[in-house]
Amino acid sequence: MAHKKNRNVGIIGIGQTKHSSHREDVNQPELIHEAVSLALKDANLTMKDIDCVVHGNMELFEMVHSPDLWHVLGTGAYGKDCIRITTGGTVGATLSCASDNLTASGMYDIVMAIGFEKLQEGHTTGGITNMADPLWFRKIQAGALTGSSAYDVEREFGLERANRASLTYRIIMDKHAGLNPNAHRAFGLDFNQIDDLIRTSPKLVGELKLIEMCSQSDGACCVIFACEKKAKEISKTPVWIRDHITVHKEETFSIFGYNREFPVMKTHKFAAEQLFKRNGIKDPLNYFDVFEMYDPASWWAIDWLRDFFDLKGDEHLKLIENKEIMIGGKLPINPSGGVIGSNPIGATALIRVAEAAMQVRGNAGPHQIPTPVNHALASGFGGTMWTVMTMLEKELNW
Amino acid sequence: MTTKQMKGFEDSYVVEGRMALPYTYFAGRVGSKFITTIRDQKKIMGVKCPTCNVVYLPPRQVCDKDFTDIRDKWVDVSNTGTVSNFTVVRYDDKHLPRKAPFVLALIKLDGADTPFMHILEECEIVEVKIGMKVEAVFAKETTNTILDIDHFKPAAERISVHEINATRKQWVPVDEPDTQGKRKGGKPDMSKPVIITAALSGAATMKNQISSVPYTPAEFAEEAYKCWKAGAAMVHVHAREDAGMATHEHARIKATYDAIKDKCPDIIICLTSAVGMGKTAEQRLSQIVAIKPEVASLNTNSMNFGIVDRKTGKVFIDYVFENTFTMVQDFGKAMEENGVKPEIECYDMGGLDNAMLIGRQGIFTDPMNFNFVWGVAGGQAFRAESFIAMMNALPAKANFTTCGVGTDQFPCIMQSCILGGHMRVGLEDNIKMPNGDLAKGSYEQVEVAVAIANNLGRPVATTDEARLIMGIKKR
């Protein structure tokens, strides 16, 4: 059984900034204002129509406390109910879950979720790792910068195949990002560059190379949620939120002393199993038409595919090698270019939901999947090991 | 990293660490313009929300109350304001801009609706009060930060002309046949109010020289109002097109005239009958007859009226300003017939004589009002003895005022005030202040004229008194 809802909730408005490493022209509220204005325009609403604002970003990344208060100039939350959420990298996905819950509960009819990050202003490492002391059991945290997945895939499938799969994934993401006008990074890479990139891209940790890593971006994303009645009144193409799930597990994540006896990356697997089981989805790979995955690095992405879809053996690598995850393939992953393409962290996981919803609406733009999208999946990742998954539907028929 | 043990917790360690938190702050385009305007123009600007009329300072891109995009709605606010709250910082820390103790005050600038925080100095901490008037002191060296306003200091207490005039007795004319004799004897009547005129625009002062010169009717109205507030009883107006060219079009001049009258009903308007270069006699006069202002300028001689480099003598613009006897006579007659009091512009002694000569026809009614003009390229430069000679040549009941181009402006008005005459200032004649800084507007020069009058103990004429003195009836 999917979790119980008092009423259905649909996405009726989406706005995103162009994501970039250079936004010297705006301050934080001004950046947010861009996304909020676009979402209101998309929904054909004004701030008067919004009942509640849910604000989220990474704590400390911009060195501002209580940003929800300061950002009112951009969020439009003056005189409205406003809630701040911060759950690390998943915050954007949690914004979506919270907005869904707040609307489904009957508390608010229209809720606006705003995810935002201006990494150019702050000091990410200051926010994550400064208080770490691994020798006192405060384990070091370098965000997404870990080589353990690369080590894992490499050991199982051999260095050559592992490296080529990772770079194939990376280049597919680059090609997708090239189609998405909001994407931060699109280099114009091609598959014939794989060998060069393996050889030349600087190594960060083990086999994790610079080219395989996500960016630091500035950007904001705004998504407007409405109850079924309002959604049908306001929008011709509301995208329905079927279900979402959050799973986390803090204590076993450690980058040294990696031990196969203590596998750590299992929250994705657990979350996906629970979500699909309670929604009666037996073959998720065939069920979903698109998957917007939170992919901080291509090594994690290729490894996580297996967890999300419960794939056996090297099925996940074959999906990549056969380019089945490209636009036009069996299950397109991240037509937006994904997190490797753009990563304004507080917005990143909300962008996954927003991009998946745009695919369902069929108006994503140049990166729209050519075949109909009826069922979409979005994931968020963060913290030491957090997973949030969201299922979106075109029709209210489940 | 180190550990220590707290007394009473000998079995427990406390680990001491240190966080490095570098960060960058982005001001955005709106915030950046706010700073650069302070830096480059020593001017403080806010934004005004057209929906709720709130003027925000510091400026912001969006009105938080109604979510209106206000990034382009810039307005000037004053450099002076009122302390709406304050705190005394009593500890020293690296991030603080001054050594403790110092005052951080919330200051609501005149013209803004929101207070902003800054340092308040140049007074004893115990003297700081909520409600005290303060003014900005700009930094000598720029840092491209809000510290380009170095600090605020207590504002000089300035009682407005209108407050003073409200408490004194109104001046009444006394029939004194020998006004001129007394003047000549060096005993002018210093109790007679001095009329301050602001020449807001002229024909040639352009926005690229000084942005506060008015072009549109609304700008004229705003400038005239500021000048009236500062103590001017009369404004002299050359109407302009939107692009800045002087105009003889009746509709535009009327619109300018009406806008000033709407905003500032009491003020006397003196329209130009010179208009600008290349205008025909008909163009110059017909607008006066059509609009019938209380006062209009009447020029008295044909003369060179050019633009010449004051240092090198090089001629930039050569122009003959034509005012034949026939024109002086026709203009003077038309003005008097239409109840418009001529202000007789004398660029030298010859001009004064011309007016007197034509005046034998009985054209001009008493009292005649003369304006001695100094420093036009083509007219005479300001000399104290020339001034006295011209004054001594006036008819018995005549009034005189004076204006000077460029650096002649302040010396000539001061001399006029000493000798019992009146004063004209304004951006038409000079765009600077006595210290060489650009004036914020004609009104700031009016403030200088008021200071001169105050220092000489002469009252500043109200608009009613100015009408009595000049012999004009309010329209």
Side-chain angles (χ1 to χ4, degrees):
Chain A
M1 274 290 286
H3 73 275
K4 265 168 93 176
K5 275 181 160 178
N6 276 339
R7 52 183 181 173
N8 287 310
V9 177
I11 291 173
I12 57 163
I14 297 168
Q16 266 185 79
T17 61
K18 158 91 179 132
H19 309 297
S20 166
S21 62
H22 289 281
R23 286 308 305 269
E24 284 87 349
D25 56 327
V26 286
N27 62 24
Q28 294 176 19
E30 290 168 355
L31 182 75
I32 289 168
H33 181 244
E34 288 180 15
V36 170
S37 304
L38 288 168
L40 288 170
K41 194 172 164 221
D42 183 50
N44 199 18
L45 297 177
T46 69
M47 270 323 286
K48 288 202 184 89
D49 303 306
I50 307 298
D51 302 322
C52 175
V53 172
V54 186
H55 172 289
N57 72 324
M58 290 289 282
E59 248 169 354
L60 283 178
F61 277 17
E62 288 97 7
M63 304 293 151
V64 176
H65 75 106
S66 301
D68 51 326
L69 305 183
W70 189 44
H71 290 169
V72 162
L73 291 176
T75 62
Y78 181 85
K80 296 184 186 297
D81 288 10
C82 180
I83 298 162
R84 180 159 77 102
I85 288 176
T86 175
T87 62
T90 48
V91 61
T94 310
L95 291 172
S96 168
C97 298
S99 301
D100 181 35
N101 291 352
L102 287 166
T103 314
S105 70
M107 201 165 175
Y108 304 103
D109 285 346
I110 303 184
V111 175
M112 174 187 268
I114 302 162
F116 136 88
E117 207 74 62
K118 203 150 190 305
L119 289 172
Q120 205 182 353
E121 293 197 6
H123 195 246
T124 315
T125 305
I128 298 179
T129 64
N130 262 323
M131 287 180 289
D133 183 355
L135 304 180
W136 284 91
F137 306 102
R138 292 167 69 91
K139 288 164 192 164
I140 199 157
Q141 263 296 314
L145 199 63
T146 154
S148 60
S149 282
Y151 178 65
D152 215 11
V153 181
E154 178 198 319
R155 201 162 58 167
E156 189 171 349
F157 299 101
L159 183 61
E160 164 79 15
R161 189 177 180 198
N163 250 328
R164 292 190 70 81
S166 172
L167 262 298
T168 304
Y169 180 91
R170 177 65 189 91
I171 288 165
I172 290 170
M173 288 306 117
D174 191 66
K175 286 182 176 294
H176 289 176
L179 299 172
N180 177 3
N182 289 327
H184 171 181
R185 295 192 307 170
F187 298 115
L189 301 177
D190 219 330
F191 297 109
N192 61 15
Q193 288 171 278
I194 288 179
D195 291 331
D196 275 354
L197 288 169
I198 290 171
R199 196 160 39 80
T200 57
S201 181
K203 289 184 179 179
L204 303 173
V205 184
E207 276 303 318
L208 174 66
K209 293 174 278 296
L210 187 59
I211 190 70
E212 292 162 333
M213 201 56 212
C214 60
S215 59
Q216 287 201 354
S217 312
D218 287 359
C221 178
C222 175
V223 179
I224 302 172
F225 299 78
C227 64
E228 181 178 341
K229 183 169 174 286
K230 292 263 182 182
K232 284 176 169 168
E233 281 169 17
I234 294 164
S235 173
K236 287 200 185 85
T237 53
V239 178
W240 304 106
I241 297 173
R242 177 163 173 181
D243 200 0
H244 54 76
I245 189 167
T246 299
V247 175
H248 48 81
K249 179 181 182 202
E250 298 281 348
E251 78 281 9
T252 52
F253 188 79
S254 170
I255 69 158
F256 353 101
Y258 179 78
N259 189 328
R260 286 189 75 78
E261 297 302 311
F262 302 100
V264 293
M265 300 294 186
K266 293 301 168 199
T267 55
H268 286 341
K269 191 175 172 67
F270 184 80
E273 276 172 10
Q274 297 298 313
L275 184 68
F276 300 149
K277 190 173 152 199
R278 74 190 188 190
N279 285 283
I281 291 164
K282 297 206 167 53
D283 185 1
L285 201 59
N286 281 318
Y287 182 79
F288 290 105
D289 302 309
V290 67
F291 178 26
E292 274 288 339
M293 175 170 56
Y294 196 118
D295 56 344
S298 55
W299 286 106
W300 265 346
I302 62 174
D303 192 35
W304 291 351
L305 269 184
R306 183 153 65 170
D307 287 350
F308 283 126
F309 295 106
D310 193 25
L311 302 175
K312 309 292 179 226
D314 64 353
E315 282 176 330
H316 60 304
L317 292 192
K318 282 183 182 153
L319 278 177
I320 294 158
E321 286 159 354
N322 298 332
K323 304 194 175 69
E324 294 291 359
I325 61 162
M326 260 181 104
I327 295 174
K330 180 181 171 60
L331 177 62
I333 290 178
N334 296 348
S336 62
V339 184
I340 298 179
S342 328
N343 189 22
I345 303 178
T348 299
L350 185 61
I351 294 169
R352 305 282 70 74
V353 177
E355 286 284 348
M358 282 156 60
Q359 291 291 343
V360 174
R361 296 202 305 202
N363 66 349
H367 59 292
Q368 174 69 41
I369 295 167
T371 48
V373 178
N374 294 312
H375 318 288
L377 184 64
S379 79
F381 162 77
T384 44
M385 199 60 221
W386 278 62
T387 303
V388 180
M389 297 181 73
T390 308
M391 285 174 65
L392 302 177
E393 297 283 350
K394 186 166 192 163
E395 306 295 341
L396 272 172
N397 60 0
W398 62 85
Chain B
M1 215 163 283
T2 56
T3 55
K4 65 178 182 186
Q5 279 170 304
M6 312 278 278
K7 201 163 190 265
F9 295 90
E10 280 75 15
D11 57 351
S12 307
Y13 282 116
V14 176
V15 183
E16 291 187 322
R18 186 178 276 267
M19 276 179 107
L21 296 175
Y23 76 102
T24 314
Y25 172 83
F26 286 46
R29 285 213 172 86
V30 172
S32 300
K33 178 168 171 172
F34 173 58
I35 298 294
T36 48
T37 316
I38 290 170
R39 182 192 70 191
D40 300 337
Q41 299 175 42
K42 311 274 182 257
K43 190 163 87 169
I44 306 173
M45 291 184 88
V47 287
K48 182 172 182 175
C49 175
T51 312
C52 65
N53 284 330
V54 169
V55 175
Y56 288 103
L57 194 107
R60 54 191 60 178
Q61 184 174 293
V62 176
C63 173
D64 59 0
K65 293 189 178 60
D66 47 48
F67 217 52
T68 308
D69 195 322
I70 50 176
R71 71 184 77 188
D72 299 325
K73 310 294 179 197
W74 291 94
V75 290
D76 291 359
V77 301
S78 175
N79 294 350
T80 59
T82 311
V83 171
S84 60
N85 214 331
F86 67 95
T87 188
V88 183
V89 181
R90 296 200 182 274
Y91 72 101
D92 282 313
D93 206 340
K94 268 189 253 174
H95 70 277
L96 292 169
R98 293 287 192 273
K99 249 190 112 48
F102 70 96
V103 175
L104 280 177
L106 277 173
I107 295 159
K108 196 158 86 67
L109 291 177
D110 300 332
D113 293 311
T114 55
F116 87 123
M117 178 133 66
H118 217 294
I119 302 156
L120 176 54
E121 287 181 337
E122 298 193 40
C123 59
E124 295 298 323
I125 287 172
V126 293
E127 288 167 6
V128 176
K129 299 274 185 297
I130 289 173
M132 77 188 282
K133 298 288 283 179
V134 293
E135 67 178 281
V137 177
F138 293 96
K140 291 199 174 64
E141 282 177 26
T142 176
T143 51
N144 302 318
T145 69
I146 191 59
L147 286 176
D148 281 358
I149 298 172
D150 189 75
H151 62 276
F152 279 78
K153 67 175 185 185
E157 283 292 332
R158 221 170 20 199
I159 306 165
S160 90
V161 172
H162 299 277
E163 281 167 350
I164 297 170
N165 283 347
T167 57
R168 70 172 168 83
K169 262 207 258 172
Q170 201 194 337
W171 177 82
V172 278
V174 277
D175 195 19
E176 236 187 282
D178 200 21
T179 306
Q180 179 66 334
K182 276 196 166 183
R183 271 187 207 144
K184 285 186 185 175
K187 295 282 179 198
D189 179 6
M190 298 301 272
S191 69
K192 192 172 180 179
V194 52
I195 302 164
I196 299 173
T197 299
L200 303 179
S201 60
T205 305
M206 306 305 282
K207 281 198 191 288
N208 62 6
Q209 298 167 280
I210 181 157
S211 61
S212 53
V213 68
Y215 288 174
T216 65
E219 289 171 346
F220 270 99
E222 194 56 42
E223 269 293 289
Y225 179 72
K226 285 181 184 167
C227 290
W228 172 78
K229 241 180 122 180
M234 182 156 86
V235 287
H236 175 61
V237 170
H238 291 242
R240 302 286 193 91
E241 295 166 4
D242 282 348
M245 299 303 291
T247 182
H248 61 270
E249 296 292 340
H250 294 194
R252 180 67 173 201
I253 299 169
K254 182 81 166 70
T256 306
Y257 181 90
D258 288 347
I260 297 172
K261 278 286 180 190
D262 280 352
K263 175 87 183 176
C264 198
D266 285 341
I267 207 160
I268 303 164
I269 300 177
C270 166
L271 283 186
T272 178
S273 73
V275 182
M277 281 186 189
K279 304 293 183 186
T280 66
E282 201 277 331
Q283 287 170 340
R284 288 168 52 182
L285 183 58
S286 67
Q287 44 110 13
I288 301 288
V289 174
I291 294 160
K292 299 185 180 55
E294 288 174 85
V295 183
S297 66
L298 176 65
N299 295 281
T300 52
N301 43 1
S302 296
M303 59 189 288
N304 286 328
F305 204 115
I307 296 180
V308 177
D309 188 313
R310 302 281 168 168
K311 287 189 189 117
T312 63
K314 199 176 154 204
V315 180
F316 292 134
I317 295 179
D318 211 5
Y319 178 70
V320 175
F321 182 30
E322 200 176 58
N323 295 291
T324 63
F325 276 126
T326 313
M327 285 170 72
V328 178
Q329 156 199 309
D330 292 352
F331 278 38
K333 273 186 189 161
M335 288 177 193
E336 292 281 2
E337 279 166 12
N338 284 284
V340 177
K341 194 78 180 170
E343 182 188 85
I344 300 165
E345 313 293 326
C346 302
Y347 298 82
D348 57 28
M349 187 67 97
L352 193 153
D353 287 333
N354 292 347
M356 303 289 284
L357 187 55
I358 294 294
R360 289 196 184 147
Q361 296 178 32
I363 297 172
F364 302 116
T365 52
D366 274 340
M368 289 168 76
N369 299 302
F370 290 83
N371 179 20
F372 305 156
V373 186
W374 310 94
V376 170
Q380 66 186 351
F382 173 66
R383 292 178 187 87
E385 65 273 31
S386 306
F387 194 108
I388 289 168
M390 286 179 75
M391 181 188 78
N392 288 346
L394 290 173
K397 290 183 175 169
N399 297 304
F400 64 97
T401 186
T402 194
C403 66
V405 174
T407 50
D408 281 355
Q409 183 177 67
F410 297 108
C412 79
I413 62 165
M414 195 177 283
Q415 169 129 350
S416 184
C417 196
I418 291 172
L419 295 175
H422 305 289
M423 300 189 274
R424 174 176 127 172
V425 290
L427 301 183
E428 168 166 354
D429 306 327
N430 178 26
I431 59 174
K432 292 183 176 173
M433 294 296 286
N435 66 359
D437 286 351
L438 278 185
K440 292 193 188 79
S442 295
Y443 70 92
E444 214 186 2
Q445 295 174 342
V446 172
E447 289 169 0
V448 175
V450 169
I452 291 170
N454 287 344
N455 288 338
L456 291 171
R458 284 189 67 184
V460 174
T462 64
T463 49
D464 288 342
E465 288 168 337
R467 287 187 175 92
L468 277 175
I469 293 166
M470 290 193 286
I472 52 179
K473 285 202 179 71
K474 188 177 181 186
R475 274 195 219 282

